[in-house]
Amino acid sequence: MTSKLDSLDQWVNDVAAMTRPAKIHWCDGSDTEYRALVQQMLQSGDLIELNQQTHPGCYLHRSSPSDVARVEHLTFVCTKDEADAGPNNHWMAPAEAHAKMDALFDGCMEGRTMYVIPYCMGPIDSPLSRCGVEITDSPYVVANMRTMTRMGAPALARIEREGRFVKGLHSTGELDPERRFIIHFPEELSIKSYGSGYGGNALLGKKCHALRIASHQARSEGWLAEHMLIVGIENPQGETHYVAAAFPSACGKTNLAMLIPPEGYRKEGWRVWTVGDDICWMRPGADGRLYAINPEAGFFGVAPGTSTLSNPNALQTISRDTIFTNVAVTADNQPWWEGLPGTPVTDWQGRPYDPANGPAAHPNSRFTVSAKQCPTWSPKAEDAQGVPISAIMFGGRRPSLLPLVMEARDWTHGVLMGAAMGSETTAAATGAVGVLRRDSMAMKPFCGYHYGDYFAHWLSLDKPGAKLPKVFHVNWFRKGKDGKFLWPGFGENLRVLEWMIARVEGKAGGVETPIGTLPAHGELKLEGLELPRETLAELLTVDHAGWQTELHAIGEYLDSFGTRLPANLRQEQQRVAQALETPRKAAAHA
Ligand code: GTP
Ligand code: SPV
Ligand code: MN
């Protein structure tokens, strides 16, 4: 009998014949292997040792200054039929894309080591997990994949059992932005990435596999692969509700996943459990509820802004055994970024720090760390069955109009809320920052197929027997006339989550408005928070005229998906638009 690994061996041989490495290394994921890789990278300068007294096991990596974020304009989804990729993706014909990439890969590993990384996305024994193999010439990628996935021998054993895995081929190449492509072949379960060593472009298990390829697979298999955090909220009675939240890149997923309750809540006995901070795979269980796993094993989190005030859990998590990418360094060789006390002496490019050159740490500088080091890491995060999801939240950076929180009246309305999501762009991708764009379900850069089909897939989960989560939309980023955030955010967001959970449990009445249900007067607990009455009123106001304009824009946006847009989603948009035309009490808190 031929082994299921034959196809893997065959592929590895084919890739080696094309890239012509000096050596092939099969990664086993062991500590010995990791230590050897680190030593090698310290010697080559790929890693710089940080202060081992204050930050044991911590290293700094400086990427090429032109390679600091995902490159959405160079990211392609190559389906046989162009229409299947949708207007939300860049497309190339598969044959053309293979030819283009193989020309770049030709001989690209000469004189170097080719690493073969078997990995599992999700707990190794979970039926919801999926495996892949990444081939790369970057030891930095290997070190990061070891932290971000279950890499090595157990994954290889599962691949041998299942025979099916996602093939990812990566080479750092010359780091020339003109010769950089991140290419997906969802129908072949394969990825080719050339010319970038950065995060989402190069750690192929993450956005390429766990979102673009997985979303495509999930559609045909009846599940969801989403750009969502997963957090457990335990009340003083010891009951835990799990919530999944889709916020666009650099919009607060890591922060919410590691939330520290305000003092009053802590005294009452509320606790928060981190299950995931970036990606969520969900599937309907036998009881009709959605069960979720975090396919990742680590965090690749935004460094700037991470502080004892904003995210003490993250700060504690990254106090040891962490790889920092593109942060600044202090005089005593500690990692530094904007938001931390102290002063930097060296910026992210290794130059003496000069404010005239911009921030000391790159705005998209990141830390890579094992999730196990997080003080609030949930034991349920390793549960093969996943956690049941009680509520789904959507949210983005909306400086105006969008209230602090609103609840969808049913699943269809919730899908509309997700589809209509907008947010100001951030430094997580190259391009302009602070521009409002639609980012449906926070998946604009990650949905591996036509958004119209994706919305239809979401709607299709609402079938007899389904016990779907309640859907909410939140906005932590509403600004006042002075340009400052109206809502304090961070730990205080638990107040909003408590209301949501009360709604799930049928313990809060809410106020119905045309755009959804908002907290009724007094339902948001604000004890211990100095929030002026007028600010709260502003956060919970429904501006009818503004919303009419918004609904019109949402309608136009939905129409851009053409005939694949599900008719009932457009009808839902019309229902809300019509409800807004009926004069009503303008504000929940008037
Ligand atoms: P990716 O890893 O890029 O997918 O992003 P993420 O969603 O995990 O981003 P993260 O949590 O690291 O977001 C960081 C940014 O959001 C920082 O600029 C934070 O200051 C800001 N942020 C997070 N939570 C809040 C909040 O409640 N209020 C406000 N105003 N800002 C917040
Ligand atoms: C994001 O940009 O949403 C990230 C970072 O989480 S990356 O892995 O680079 O995609
Ligand atoms: Mn992300």
Side-chain angles (χ1 to χ4, degrees), residues 48 84 125 148 153 186 189 302 305 322 337 417 452 493 495 506:
I48 298 163
D84 290 339
D125 56 346
M148 296 305 296
L189 299 185
V302 178
T322 302
W337 48 82
M417 274 183 185
N493 294 336
R495 299 173 188 276

Side-chain angles (χ1 to χ4, degrees), residues 114-421:
M114 176 175 114
Y115 299 92
V116 182
I117 311 171
Y119 64 86
C120 181
M121 299 310 291
I124 197 83
D125 56 346
S126 171
L128 284 78
S129 300
R130 290 286 189 278
C131 289
V133 177
E134 175 166 358
I135 296 180
T136 180
D137 53 9
S138 161
Y140 167 80
V141 165
V142 179
N144 278 270
M145 284 290 283
R146 179 179 188 265
T147 303
M148 296 305 296
T149 72
R150 279 91 171 165
M151 161 182 132
L156 192 59
R158 182 164 168 163
I159 289 167
E160 178 157 43
R161 245 188 359 263
E162 295 181 337
R164 208 159 76 127
F165 61 95
V166 171
K167 297 182 173 83
L169 172 54
H170 167 256
S171 172
T172 311
E174 314 85 332
L175 295 172
D176 175 356
E178 302 299 318
R179 284 160 60 84
R180 176 176 298 160
F181 298 98
I182 323 297
I183 310 266
H184 304 74
F185 305 93
E187 290 148 351
E188 302 168 24
L189 299 185
S190 86
I191 305 154
K192 290 185 175 176
S193 163
Y194 185 90
S196 167
Y198 194 83
N201 300 331
L203 312 177
L204 302 187
K206 198 172 172 59
K207 297 299 166 57
C208 301
H209 176 168
L211 288 178
R212 296 194 193 94
I213 301 283
S215 62
H216 193 274
Q217 240 180 337
R219 180 193 171 206
S220 57
E221 297 173 4
W223 50 285
L224 293 171
E226 299 299 327
H227 191 205
M228 291 179 174
L229 67 93
I230 311 167
V231 66
I233 310 290
E234 182 180 333
N235 68 17
Q237 293 76 51
E239 299 149 353
T240 305
H241 280 283
Y242 294 92
V243 175
F247 305 155
S249 304
C251 289
K253 288 186 299 301
T254 304
N255 280 92
L256 192 72
M258 298 182 188
L259 180 150
I260 294 200
E263 201 188 335
Y265 279 78
R266 282 205 301 277
K267 283 196 182 134
E268 279 179 30
W270 289 81
R271 299 188 68 173
V272 171
W273 298 101
T274 308
V275 180
D277 84 324
D278 197 46
I279 303 180
C280 165
W281 286 357
M282 297 185 270
R283 182 189 275 278
D287 61 358
R289 298 187 72 185
L290 287 183
Y291 284 80
I293 60 162
N294 170 12
E296 302 192 281
F299 308 122
F300 183 63
V302 178
T306 307
S307 71
T308 41
L309 282 178
S310 69
N311 196 343
N313 273 329
L315 214 56
Q316 204 179 317
T317 307
I318 59 182
S319 62
R320 65 178 175 90
D321 298 310
T322 302
I323 295 178
F324 294 91
T325 300
N326 293 339
V327 300
V329 179
T330 63
D332 64 346
N333 204 24
Q334 294 191 49
W336 192 91
W337 48 82
E338 279 67 20
L340 282 183
T343 41
V345 294
T346 309
D347 77 3
W348 64 277
Q349 298 189 53
R351 304 173 297 192
Y353 173 57
D354 177 355
N357 289 331
H362 188 275
N364 193 35
S365 55
R366 302 241 168 193
F367 51 76
T368 316
V369 67
S370 167
K372 291 201 183 91
Q373 290 181 203
C374 178
T376 52
W377 186 235
S378 166
K380 284 280 188 186
E382 307 287 342
D383 191 324
Q385 299 313 309
V387 294
I389 298 296
S390 299
I392 286 177
M393 295 160 71
F394 295 117
R397 291 179 184 261
R398 293 296 298 255
S400 62
L401 192 68
L402 273 283
L404 178 63
V405 59
M406 57 183 181
E407 180 193 327
R409 68 172 201 167
D410 57 17
W411 186 254
T412 304
H413 186 206
V415 174
L416 178 70
M417 274 183 185
M421 257 176 74

